[in-house]
Amino acid sequence: MLSEYEYRDNLYPGHMACAGCGEVLGLKLVLQAVGEKAMAVVLPSCLGIILGPFPYTTFKIPVFHAAFETAASSAAGISNALLAQGDEETQVVALAGDGGTADIGFQALSGAADRDENIIYCCFDNEAYMNTGIQSSSSTPQLAWTTTTPLGKSLKKKNMVEIMGAHKIPYAASACSCFPDDLRRKISEAKKLKGTKYIHILSPCPTGWRFPARLTPNVGRLAVETKYYPLYEIRNGQEYTITHHPKNLPVENYLLAQGRFKHLTKKDLEGIQKEVDARWGELTRRANKK
Ligand SMILES: Cc1ncc(C[n+]2csc(CCOP(=O)(O)OP(=O)(O)O)c2C)c(N)n1
Ligand code: SF4
């Protein structure tokens, strides 16, 4: 039997994502959960390629092609225009990559969160500027290979969920395209709330992360089951809930499944494991504070 979501698939087939793309998987789930009474804002990114060039579209809902730095401000403008027309029902979703969110669109996003604009903002995090050739972003993890960090990135990954939580918005959450029920539930939660909702979706990218396309679900699940990328939500900047309790697998199971980390030494892996354990300890401390 089909689930309530499978009845409404809002993405046409025939898009141009690479085989095994974790971003298109996440997008499909978001569009299913957001429903038909919705409008999307899409940035230049792999999402823009999946959407297709205007006037063609793979989306079944109306879409606005926005400039790279304007996902949140464009979505806020549409949301306010709908309100002015008395439409409180249509969900406005901004769909952006990590470069468009954590780097170039951050000012617009922070401003929208500060004004508590009524939007759902989804960042599809494939941890680099993939669409233009795998350049490093502030969301690329430390030590990862990209074309602009051939020896491994020296800086750490920016934590967008915590940053958005610190804006005290009603809802900020991490999700992964390889945990479909968790992701769809988070979109459904966001739909129930007024104000700015932020969902950060880890989207494994076989092309940029250098793993075989058939392994996308395994890689995404390993990110979560090793605690490298915990699934949780933050309400009003303070109520933390862990939404999936990981199996606590060694972090090297996740890292060494990908070519972008194949240069890591035993010492690097031990250092990352320590950091992951410390971050998990802090997260569980916050979640247990309730
Ligand atoms: C102002 C501006 N600068 C640069 C570009 C070129 N550009 C288009 S897509 C893209 C990369 C997008 O990366 P990201 O947001 O991480 O999304 P992904 O492609 O990884 O899904 C860039 C740099 C642009 N369209 N506009
Ligand atoms: S580069 Fe990565 S994120 Fe972009 S379409 Fe290909 S697999 Fe998907």
Side-chain angles (χ1 to χ4, degrees):
M1 197 167 114
L2 293 173
S3 75
E4 64 168 299
Y5 299 112
E6 284 161 314
Y7 285 111
R8 40 176 155 92
D9 197 343
N10 283 328
L11 192 67
Y12 288 110
H15 57 73
M16 290 189 287
C18 313
C21 175
E23 189 157 300
V24 78
L25 177 58
L27 176 64
K28 201 174 159 79
L29 297 164
V30 167
L31 292 179
Q32 278 175 355
V34 92
E36 276 152 32
K37 198 93 180 94
M39 290 186 182
V41 170
V42 170
L43 294 193
S45 59
C46 289
L47 295 163
I49 301 300
I50 294 160
L51 168 64
F54 181 81
Y56 302 103
T57 176
T58 51
F59 285 30
K60 294 186 189 171
I61 58 170
V63 183
F64 179 69
H65 288 252
F68 199 20
E69 56 278 61
T70 67
S73 45
S74 300
I78 293 170
S79 166
N80 284 310
L82 288 168
L83 262 186
Q85 292 173 18
D87 181 348
E88 293 193 22
E89 207 191 328
T90 302
Q91 299 287 331
V92 182
V93 279
L95 308 171
D98 51 288
T101 300
D103 298 343
I104 193 161
F106 183 72
Q107 184 185 9
L109 173 58
S110 181
D114 186 45
R115 298 188 301 274
D116 205 17
E117 301 283 5
N118 191 30
I119 59 172
I120 300 175
Y121 190 108
C122 295
C123 171
F124 292 83
D125 187 6
N126 52 24
E127 301 191 319
Y129 292 77
M130 291 304 175
N131 179 240
T132 40
I134 324 176
Q135 294 91 2
S136 171
S137 78
S138 60
S139 199
T140 301
Q142 195 171 31
L143 297 179
W145 167 90
T146 66
T147 53
T148 51
T149 57
L151 302 178
K153 186 188 173 197
S154 52
L155 301 170
K156 288 187 194 281
K157 181 181 172 84
K158 190 184 275 185
N159 189 331
M160 280 302 297
V161 179
E162 293 300 319
I163 290 170
M164 294 315 294
H167 283 70
K168 312 275 186 235
I169 53 175
Y171 192 72
S174 64
C176 175
S177 59
C178 304
F179 284 77
D181 290 341
D182 183 78
L183 169 54
R184 288 187 293 212
R185 188 193 62 76
K186 283 168 178 163
I187 297 287
S188 301
E189 281 303 303
K191 276 174 72 176
K192 290 183 207 151
L193 301 166
K194 288 267 174 264
T196 305
K197 288 80 60 176
Y198 177 83
I199 303 181
H200 194 92
I201 305 165
L202 186 73
S203 306
C205 166
T207 307
W209 297 11
R210 300 295 200 233
F211 64 81
R214 69 188 154 78
L215 293 184
T216 298
N218 307 39
V219 171
R221 294 194 78 84
L222 279 171
V224 173
E225 299 296 5
T226 57
K227 312 192 298 298
Y228 190 83
Y229 183 83
L231 297 183
Y232 68 106
E233 54 196 14
I234 313 172
R235 286 172 195 268
N236 305 311
Q238 53 191 10
E239 294 157 46
Y240 280 68
T241 308
I242 294 168
T243 61
H244 176 82
H245 287 275
K247 292 186 178 137
N248 201 11
L249 300 176
V251 80
E252 67 175 65
N253 292 15
Y254 170 62
L255 297 171
L256 298 182
Q258 306 165 59
R260 65 177 175 154
F261 290 117
K262 72 169 191 257
H263 56 283
L264 296 192
T265 62
K266 195 165 176 285
K267 198 165 158 235
D268 292 333
L269 292 167
E270 282 168 6
I272 296 173
Q273 183 70 64
K274 255 195 204 146
E275 250 185 61
V276 163
D277 291 341
R279 272 206 316 262
W280 177 254
E282 175 59 21
L283 180 62
T284 47
R285 193 184 62 72
R286 289 182 191 190
N288 292 336
K289 232 166 79 178
K290 277 184 275 181

